[in-house]
């Protein structure tokens, strides 16, 4: 069976080495750029995903109305229609309103801490709470109201308490405090005993059981189905650019800290997509250069190739044999590019100390797969062009 | 293999050159194993006829059929198969790779077919007096030497018909006899036929059919 070496003496591949090396270099740079773009994209995704506060694989972010100079002074609370709209937003698994008290409420800590203040109470569906102590339940007729307090509020209290001559209190001791809660109506005041059953890192509020607040609003308040100022979203990814885009477009305000990475991600995605496109362009140009090189090779060896075919060699076979000569070169280029992507990934991994353990040492399987695809595309295009040119002889 | 011609004529040949031809515009049938000698003066279309049979050109009217199929109707694969297994050829212009050695020129065919051993090739070269030219560049050899190399190359494959286009034009009497003997011997071994196109009748060629073009 004939092989390439039998026809090699008749094919002029030796000259124009410069353009071939130039093509190889272009292909190498383009491939490295494209593989690195993909790897960085995957790395950044991994980092951002791990940075957000999550529970059971979900992120919870609060949504309010954006208050601007134009709308300030108006009622910017959210309605049931807004809730439905947010529920249908991309990436939203569920959404729930944070309902607030529609009556005046006041707390005092009795004689131990001589402190009293008007307060707002809020309630949300239990599924949206990051902590759900067993005592956080209320039944009608029960005078004891369980409260979940924002841990940030406690922190704030502890900051200003010494300057006011008040004692600082720990999270554990806060639970043992008996607080008097007074709910004001037009006709009078009703008192309850309240105690802190837990601290929430997620919701900055004073939370009471939802059924209590619904009951209290009905009993002490003026309106039962009042609009709400906050809605909580349950989502798989708080950094989902589509979700953030939707919320921005609709003038909803979201917790910047929670979605900060999403905004970074949006920018990075743009940069990476731009670089990726540039890389694809470089690869396309390199392939084009190879196409020119092949045309040159064939036109220079045209008479010999024509004679080879005249003697009984099949053009397809000749094309295959000649194109096979490029396969090792393509393989080496892709391997070098993969190694380069691995080196860059390792440098990135060690430079991001906090995320090092979250990124695997080897580059992603997707990056490998992309390398393989580039290799196959080059080999197939090469073979196709050669066969096409040979059949024109 | 059988070759059948029906009203064949080149589209470009002047009408007066077709008159009196026993090939052009006639019906001909070359049965398998037949030795056909076609004689014509220059410019009557001998090379064209050989090229038509080999499928290199299709600027003709009428029909050629090789076992029922026109040579230009074969696809790339079938053409390659035809030229490596059934039809061999010695071109008038030899079509050698000038910048390759004579041996490389022969081996390029033999590599495709795996037909002969190196010893057999060397023996043929020895017989035709060109063994010492095997390592020489074809372009540096005389036309007669190149003609013999082209003949040896044509014999490095199985064939059912051997097409010869003025294959001995630059050979002296003695070398012509030697080359013809080798060709006839190899053809006989393969039970094949020959279509020999030449300027004059070759008395040494044992033609079963002689036709004027």
């Amino acid at each position: 069976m004939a092989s390439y070496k039998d026809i090699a003496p008749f094919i002029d591949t030796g000259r124009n080495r410069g353009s071939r090396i130039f093509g190889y270099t272009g292909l190498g740079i383009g491939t490295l750029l494209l593989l690195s773009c993909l790897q960085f994209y995957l790395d950044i995704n991994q980092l951002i995903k791990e940075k957000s506060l999550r529970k059971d694989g979900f992120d919870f972010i609060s949504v309010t109305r954006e208050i601007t100079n134009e709308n300030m002074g108006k009622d910017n609370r959210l309605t049931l229609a807004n809730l439905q709209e947010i529920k249908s937003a991309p990436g939203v698994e569920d959404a729930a309103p944070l309902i607030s008290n529609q009556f005046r409420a006041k707390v005092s800590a009795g004689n131990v801490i001589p402190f009293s203040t008007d307060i707002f109470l809020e309630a949300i569906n239990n599924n949206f709470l990051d902590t759900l102590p067993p005592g956080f339940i209320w039944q009608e007729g029960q005078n004891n109201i369980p409260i979940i307090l924002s841990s940030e509020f406690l922190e704030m209290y502890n900051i200003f308490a010494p300057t006011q001559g008040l004692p600082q209190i720990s999270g554990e001791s806060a639970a043992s405090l008996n607080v008097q809660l007074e709910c004001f109506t037009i006709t009078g005041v009703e008192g309850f005993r309240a105690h802190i059953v837990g601290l929430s890192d997620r919701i900055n509020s004073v939370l009471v059981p939802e059924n209590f607040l619904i009951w209290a609003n009905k009993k002490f308040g003026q309106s039962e189905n009042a609009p709400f100022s906050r809605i909580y979203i349950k989502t798989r990814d708080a950094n989902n650019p589509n979700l953030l885009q939707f919320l921005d477009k609709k003038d909803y305000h979201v917790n910047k800290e929670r979605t900060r990475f999403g905004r970074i991600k949006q920018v990075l995605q743009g940069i990476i997509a731009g670089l990726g496109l540039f890389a694809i362009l470089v690869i396309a140009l390199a392939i084009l250069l190879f196409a020119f090189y092949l045309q040159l090779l064939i036109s220079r060896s045209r008479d010999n190739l024509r004679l080879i075919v005249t003697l009984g060699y099949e053009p397809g076979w000749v094309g295959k044999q000649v194109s096979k000569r490029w396969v090792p070169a393509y393989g080496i280029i892709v391997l070098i590019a993969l190694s380069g992507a691995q080196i860059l990934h390792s440098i990135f991994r060690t430079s991001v100390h906090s995320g090092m353990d979250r990124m695997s040492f080897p580059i992603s399987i997707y990056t490998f797969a992309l390398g393989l695809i580039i290799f196959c595309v080059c080999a197939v295009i090469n073979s196709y062009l050669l066969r096409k040119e040979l059949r024109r002889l | 293999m059988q070759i059948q011609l029906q009203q064949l004529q080149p589209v470009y040949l002047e009408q007066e050159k077709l008159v009196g031809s026993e090939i052009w515009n006639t019906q001909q049938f070359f049965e398998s194993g037949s030795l056909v000698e076609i004689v014509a003066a220059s410019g009557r279309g001998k090379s064209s006829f050989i090229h038509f049979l080999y499928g290199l050109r299709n600027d003709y009217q009428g029909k050629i059929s090789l076992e029922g199929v026109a040579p230009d109707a074969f696809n790339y694969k079938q053409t390659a198969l035809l030229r490596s297994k059934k039809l061999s050829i010695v071109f008038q212009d030899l079509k050698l790779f000038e910048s390759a050695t004579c041996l490389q020129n022969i081996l390029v065919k033999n590599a495709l077919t795996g037909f002969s051993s190196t010893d057999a090739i060397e023996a043929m070269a020895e017989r035709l007096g060109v063994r010492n030219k095997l390592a020489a560049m074809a372009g540096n050899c005389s036309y007669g030497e190149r003609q013999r190399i082209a003949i040896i190359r044509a014999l490095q494959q199985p064939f059912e018909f051997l097409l010869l286009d003025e294959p001995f034009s630059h050979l002296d009497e003695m070398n012509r006899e030697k080359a013809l003997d080798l060709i006839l011997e190899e053809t006989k071994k393969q039970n094949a036929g020959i279509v020999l196109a030449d300027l004059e009748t070759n008395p040494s060629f044992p033609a079963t059919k002689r036709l004027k073009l």
Side-chain angles (χ1 to χ4, degrees):
Chain A
M1 188 60 205
S3 64
Y4 177 74
K5 70 175 172 43
D6 297 309
I7 55 170
F10 314 112
I11 299 167
D12 184 358
T13 55
R15 278 176 284 170
N16 224 344
R17 199 171 288 248
S19 75
R20 198 161 33 143
I21 290 169
F22 193 64
Y24 286 152
T25 312
L27 184 66
I29 291 170
T31 308
L32 174 63
L33 205 56
L34 193 59
L35 295 181
S36 299
C37 279
L38 176 66
Q39 187 57 46
F40 278 130
Y41 175 78
L42 296 171
D43 284 349
I44 287 161
N45 257 0
Q46 189 67 24
L47 273 180
I48 289 170
K49 198 173 271 182
E50 295 299 328
K51 283 229 171 189
S52 50
L53 276 173
R54 295 174 74 81
K55 190 191 172 195
D56 305 327
F58 290 103
D59 286 325
F60 293 86
I61 47 175
S62 79
V63 175
T64 54
R65 267 275 178 236
E66 185 85 60
I67 306 297
T68 61
N69 286 341
E70 285 71 37
N71 67 14
M72 62 187 250
K74 295 177 189 167
D75 186 356
N76 289 307
R77 287 180 297 175
L78 299 158
T79 61
L80 279 171
N82 296 134
L83 180 67
Q84 287 309 318
E85 185 180 56
I86 288 170
K87 272 186 178 176
S88 64
V92 171
E93 295 283 333
D94 199 3
L98 202 63
I99 55 170
S100 50
N101 53 319
Q102 302 299 316
F103 51 88
R104 185 183 160 213
K106 184 181 170 188
V107 287
S108 55
N111 296 329
V112 184
I113 304 171
F115 169 75
S116 78
T117 180
D118 273 9
I119 198 171
F120 63 93
L121 300 171
E122 286 185 302
I124 195 167
N125 185 305
N126 282 356
N127 292 332
F128 284 73
L129 294 173
D130 55 337
T131 174
L132 188 60
F136 193 67
I137 42 172
W138 179 85
Q139 285 174 335
E140 204 169 334
Q142 184 180 320
N143 188 255
N144 202 337
I145 313 297
I147 286 176
I148 294 177
L149 188 70
S150 161
S151 50
E152 280 185 31
F153 286 5
L154 183 64
E155 207 177 306
M156 275 167 60
Y157 166 79
N158 281 331
I159 288 167
F160 82 82
T163 62
Q164 301 296 316
L166 298 169
Q168 288 181 311
I169 47 175
S170 68
E172 291 78 33
S173 54
S176 60
L177 282 178
N178 280 321
V179 181
Q180 292 297 318
L181 171 67
E182 291 171 303
C183 299
F184 293 82
T185 65
I186 306 166
T187 50
V189 181
E190 189 161 338
F192 295 90
R193 279 177 59 220
H195 66 281
I196 297 165
V197 292
L199 297 170
S200 171
D201 289 328
R202 183 184 296 158
I203 302 172
N204 291 334
S205 187
V206 181
L207 295 168
V208 291
E210 195 178 22
N211 61 340
F212 166 73
L213 199 56
I214 292 169
W215 172 84
N217 275 343
K218 202 170 164 183
K219 188 169 182 193
F220 311 122
Q222 281 89 41
S223 55
E224 280 177 43
N225 292 317
F228 20 85
S229 53
R230 280 198 279 182
I231 288 173
Y232 263 81
I233 288 175
K234 181 182 177 186
T235 174
R236 288 254 172 229
D237 181 9
N239 299 308
N240 181 341
N242 292 335
L243 172 60
L244 297 180
Q245 210 171 12
F246 172 86
L247 296 173
D248 281 348
K249 205 171 137 194
K250 299 281 180 182
D251 289 333
Y252 290 119
H253 177 76
V254 289
N255 185 331
K256 287 276 192 300
E257 179 61 26
R258 293 279 166 84
T259 57
R260 182 159 54 99
F261 294 109
R263 316 230 171 242
I264 296 170
K265 191 172 161 184
Q266 271 177 309
V267 174
L268 282 174
Q269 266 182 354
I271 294 170
I272 288 170
L275 273 176
L277 277 175
F278 177 69
I280 289 169
L281 194 72
V282 172
I283 292 174
L285 283 174
I287 290 174
L288 201 67
L289 198 67
F290 278 117
F292 286 137
Y293 176 73
L294 288 175
Q295 277 181 331
L296 196 69
L297 178 143
I298 286 169
S299 78
R300 230 174 14 221
S301 307
R302 183 171 297 276
D303 291 342
N304 283 357
L305 285 167
R306 189 179 284 151
L307 183 50
I308 285 171
V309 171
T310 302
L311 289 176
Y313 283 87
E314 202 227 323
W317 181 87
V318 176
K320 201 169 152 189
Q321 296 305 312
V322 176
S323 62
K324 261 164 54 176
R325 309 301 301 165
W326 271 269
V327 168
Y330 289 149
I332 289 167
I333 287 169
V334 170
L335 278 177
I336 290 172
L338 279 170
S339 310
Q342 173 67 63
I343 291 167
L344 291 174
H345 166 69
S346 302
I347 293 169
F348 182 63
R349 188 172 167 267
T350 45
S351 66
V352 185
H353 299 288
S354 60
M356 195 169 159
D357 53 337
R358 285 195 287 269
M359 283 187 272
S360 64
F361 173 73
I363 52 174
S364 161
I365 187 85
Y366 296 109
T367 311
F368 270 109
L370 183 62
L372 192 67
I373 289 169
I374 293 172
F375 169 76
C376 292
V377 165
C378 289
V380 166
I381 290 177
N382 203 49
S383 171
Y384 169 76
L385 286 174
L386 260 170
R387 283 177 202 216
K388 197 175 139 197
E389 288 292 324
L390 282 165
R391 283 181 174 168
R392 273 195 205 156
L393 290 173
Chain B
M1 177 191 279
Q2 297 161 342
I3 300 174
Q4 205 168 356
L5 312 174
Q6 284 178 295
Q7 309 308 125
L8 181 70
Q9 64 173 80
V11 291
Y12 53 86
L13 206 63
E14 301 88 344
Q15 283 300 310
E16 60 267 25
K17 287 186 178 173
L18 302 175
V19 179
S21 169
E22 292 171 312
I23 299 277
W24 301 141
N25 227 357
T26 63
Q27 301 256 13
Q28 284 295 345
F29 181 70
F30 306 156
E31 59 195 21
S32 135
S34 56
L35 303 175
V36 182
E37 187 177 32
I38 291 157
V39 182
S42 296
R44 308 293 291 202
K46 288 189 297 298
S47 292
S48 298
F49 176 62
I50 294 292
H51 288 182
F52 292 160
L53 293 182
Y54 197 61
L56 281 182
R57 290 173 61 173
N58 59 3
D59 45 349
Y60 58 81
Q61 290 172 349
K63 270 188 181 174
I64 300 173
S65 98
L66 307 176
E67 289 180 331
V69 185
D72 58 332
F74 288 110
N75 63 25
Y76 292 110
K77 264 201 170 125
Q78 290 166 326
T79 303
L81 207 67
L82 181 81
R83 292 175 183 174
S84 59
K85 296 251 162 59
K86 297 190 171 185
L87 270 187
S88 192
I89 190 166
V90 176
F91 293 101
Q92 188 189 24
D93 61 355
L94 308 179
K95 294 199 190 298
L96 291 179
F97 298 102
E98 302 283 319
S99 54
T101 66
C102 292
L103 184 63
Q104 281 176 325
N105 269 285
I106 298 168
L107 289 179
V108 71
K109 184 67 151 181
N110 199 52
L112 178 66
T113 59
F115 192 71
S116 298
S117 65
T118 315
D119 287 348
I121 291 168
E122 283 175 356
M124 282 186 191
E126 180 76 46
R127 208 167 140 181
L128 298 193
V130 286
R131 191 171 195 277
N132 60 340
K133 292 290 169 188
L134 288 178
M137 300 299 272
N140 295 338
C141 295
S142 73
Y143 205 89
E145 287 163 344
R146 281 189 271 157
Q147 213 158 29
R148 282 172 276 171
I149 295 297
I151 290 169
I152 296 170
R153 182 180 69 183
L155 299 176
Q156 306 312 313
Q157 68 165 91
F159 57 84
E160 294 178 23
F161 261 102
L162 177 61
L163 310 176
L164 302 169
D165 190 2
E166 298 186 39
F168 316 120
S169 59
H170 284 70
L171 299 182
D172 57 45
E173 182 70 32
M174 191 180 71
N175 279 315
R176 188 181 305 167
E177 289 303 320
K178 280 183 187 173
L180 183 59
D181 281 351
L182 179 67
I183 289 168
L184 289 172
E185 203 179 298
E186 292 298 318
T187 308
K188 197 173 175 186
K189 270 190 211 165
Q190 300 205 41
N191 288 322
I194 293 175
V195 176
L196 167 66
D198 223 333
L199 290 164
E200 291 168 353
T201 305
N202 186 336
S204 307
F205 184 66
T208 54
K209 196 177 234 182
R210 275 201 169 84
L211 298 166
K212 203 176 88 182
L213 192 66

